[in-house]
Amino acid sequence: VAVTHAGLTVGEDGATHQMLEDIALMRALPNMTVVVPADAAETAQVIRWAASYQGPVYIRMGRAKVEDVISPDAEFVPGKSTTLADGSDVTIMACGIMTQQALQAAKMLAEEGISARVINMSSIKPIDEAAIVKAAEETGAIVTCEEHTVMGGLGSAVAEVVVRQCPVPMAMVGTEDVFGQSGKASEVLKVYGLTPEHIALEAKKLVEAK
């Protein structure tokens, strides 16, 4: 099942068209693989992989154009993440359009002397438990970012691993217990705090709390 126009970036179509709960719904289904590609290159990789996979797969894509952050030569492997930037003070884990936002946030943090690791966690289920534990042990704090509610999505999936294997301070950037609203995509993202500035702010709070 490959879907498009997910998340807030549908923009002016408004709340009736802004799906913010699908990751939570799909990852709760037994045997379902859930993937949220970061860009066009990774989407192509995921589609090729899914075509040969025996079993149910849910592939979530947005509507808005995004910057390329994944190498076209990379190979998608379910349950494996990609580290896009290394860091030692805090880890930012993101999926979909928020991956590029996370990279921008890391640059902002670097200007303030904070070293942020950025991980593209496109495989939500199965999730890369080893990378999560490694990040928790080495950076001591994790921020998750998703164009989706914080209930049951990427943040919840990461927290389930963290609380069981290596508890550290966490923050989740996403929508809260709300529906979306109509507006230009960039403005709607800003209203709900899905911006590099908000990600950087949450990361700074965690670094100070460690």
Side-chain angles (χ1 to χ4, degrees):
V1 180
V3 304
T4 65
H5 292 58
L8 294 169
T9 46
V10 175
E12 289 87 349
D13 290 347
T16 57
H17 288 59
Q18 294 167 344
M19 172 56 83
L20 299 171
E21 306 83 19
D22 55 323
I23 297 175
L25 294 168
M26 300 309 290
R27 67 180 287 261
L29 294 176
N31 303 315
M32 181 66 71
T33 296
V34 181
V35 186
V36 186
D39 60 11
E42 188 170 42
T43 298
Q45 297 159 16
V46 171
I47 294 296
R48 282 193 288 266
W49 165 79
S52 61
Y53 177 71
Q54 297 299 312
V57 181
Y58 182 76
I59 304 169
R60 183 191 207 242
M61 295 169 281
R63 173 186 182 183
K65 293 181 179 179
V66 296
E67 298 177 8
D68 292 329
V69 294
I70 304 298
S71 170
D73 299 325
E75 178 183 358
F76 173 77
V77 179
K80 295 296 180 182
S81 61
T82 305
T83 300
L84 302 178
D86 204 6
S88 57
D89 296 324
V90 63
T91 298
I92 306 173
M93 297 182 178
C95 62
I97 191 174
M98 295 305 292
T99 304
Q100 65 178 18
Q101 308 278 52
L103 287 167
Q104 293 175 27
K107 292 179 181 178
M108 294 177 181
L109 292 167
E111 293 174 357
E112 299 187 43
I114 297 175
S115 175
R117 180 178 305 181
V118 178
I119 295 178
N120 172 41
M121 195 66 74
S122 57
S123 180
I124 309 294
K125 182 186 177 184
I127 201 161
D128 193 343
E129 295 192 14
I132 295 171
V133 173
K134 186 172 187 286
E137 292 176 341
E138 295 180 354
T139 69
I142 296 173
V143 181
T144 59
C145 315
E146 57 195 310
E147 190 189 6
H148 181 273
T149 175
V150 295
M151 299 179 177
L154 171 64
S156 294
V158 172
E160 289 164 13
V161 177
V162 169
V163 74
R164 291 169 178 162
Q165 301 192 43
C166 187
V168 295
M170 275 191 67
M172 300 179 191
V173 174
T175 62
E176 298 295 332
D177 189 18
V178 295
F179 291 112
Q181 58 183 299
S182 180
K184 292 183 179 179
S186 59
E187 295 176 355
V188 176
L189 289 175
K190 187 175 182 180
V191 166
Y192 290 95
L194 274 62
T195 63
E197 291 80 7
H198 188 209
I199 296 170
L201 177 62
E202 292 297 324
K204 286 169 62 177
K205 290 180 182 178
L206 290 183
V207 172
E208 293 170 359
K210 285 199 303 180

